[in-house]
Amino acid sequence: MSTITESVDVNVDVRTAYNQWTQFEDFPRFMAGVDEIRQTDTTHTHWTVSVAGVKREFDATITEQNPDERVAWRSDDGPTHAGVVTFHRLSDATTRVTAQMDIDPEGFIENVADKLGVLSGRVRGDMRRFKEFIETRDGQETGAWRG
């Protein structure tokens, strides 16, 4: 099991950052390797991802949601992982978004990718792309899901 923690400061207020993060179906727009996410009900999502050329599908459950503070999840099947994303107000116009994930890679290729730092590098890149995504929208999220 590996733990990955990455943070990024985004130039939007905490509500906007949180609202955008809860638009799970938009994740493929800024997350490398995420091909599709479907929110199937208020607490369940279905993911299709690609890691090192290997495609995986799995379901995940949102286990905690506190608007403008945190969203936590765990996988229900497929690759074992769980995590939390927290939102910290730095100022009226700046928010620190921190993702912490515990991942147990499944299969040889995913384990090698983890050992070589590919997975942590991917999360770091995803956080940078989230920053670019929300900031280039002039602080306008694509939607909101307050749980």
Side-chain angles (χ1 to χ4, degrees):
M1 181 82 63
S2 295
T3 298
I4 300 169
T5 303
E6 291 292 336
S7 294
V8 67
D9 294 347
V10 296
N11 295 317
V12 298
D13 63 275
V14 71
R15 184 179 182 94
T16 299
Y18 175 87
N19 285 348
Q20 185 59 62
W21 195 271
T22 63
Q23 298 306 290
F24 307 113
E25 293 181 356
D26 283 337
F27 281 12
R29 297 173 75 178
F30 58 86
M31 286 189 174
V34 176
D35 302 324
E36 179 185 29
I37 299 176
R38 287 188 329 271
Q39 186 158 358
T40 57
D41 63 31
T42 58
T43 59
H44 295 94
T45 55
H46 180 80
W47 294 61
T48 303
V49 300
S50 300
V51 176
V54 177
K55 186 172 277 213
R56 299 270 190 240
E57 291 193 40
F58 62 91
D59 294 318
T61 297
I62 299 160
T63 58
E64 181 182 3
Q65 185 171 6
N66 298 325
D68 302 336
E69 293 179 16
R70 63 192 288 125
V71 176
W73 74 93
R74 65 170 165 69
S75 62
D76 298 329
D77 55 10
T80 301
H81 71 278
V84 62
V85 176
T86 57
F87 303 84
H88 303 277
R89 179 188 179 279
L90 300 179
S91 73
D92 288 345
T94 308
T95 303
R96 178 162 295 147
V97 182
T98 301
Q100 181 177 352
M101 295 184 285
D102 293 323
I103 300 172
D104 190 8
E106 184 178 87
F108 177 76
I109 291 174
E110 290 94 334
N111 274 287
V112 170
D114 181 38
K115 301 291 186 235
L116 293 175
V118 172
L119 299 180
S120 61
R122 182 173 279 185
V123 173
R124 187 176 319 110
D126 291 345
M127 297 299 281
R128 281 195 314 266
R129 284 185 295 278
F130 175 73
K131 174 182 175 65
E132 293 167 9
F133 179 78
I134 191 63
E135 288 179 357
T136 59
R137 298 185 55 75
D138 295 322
Q140 297 298 309
E141 65 269 26
T142 60
W145 183 59
R146 309 291 291 174

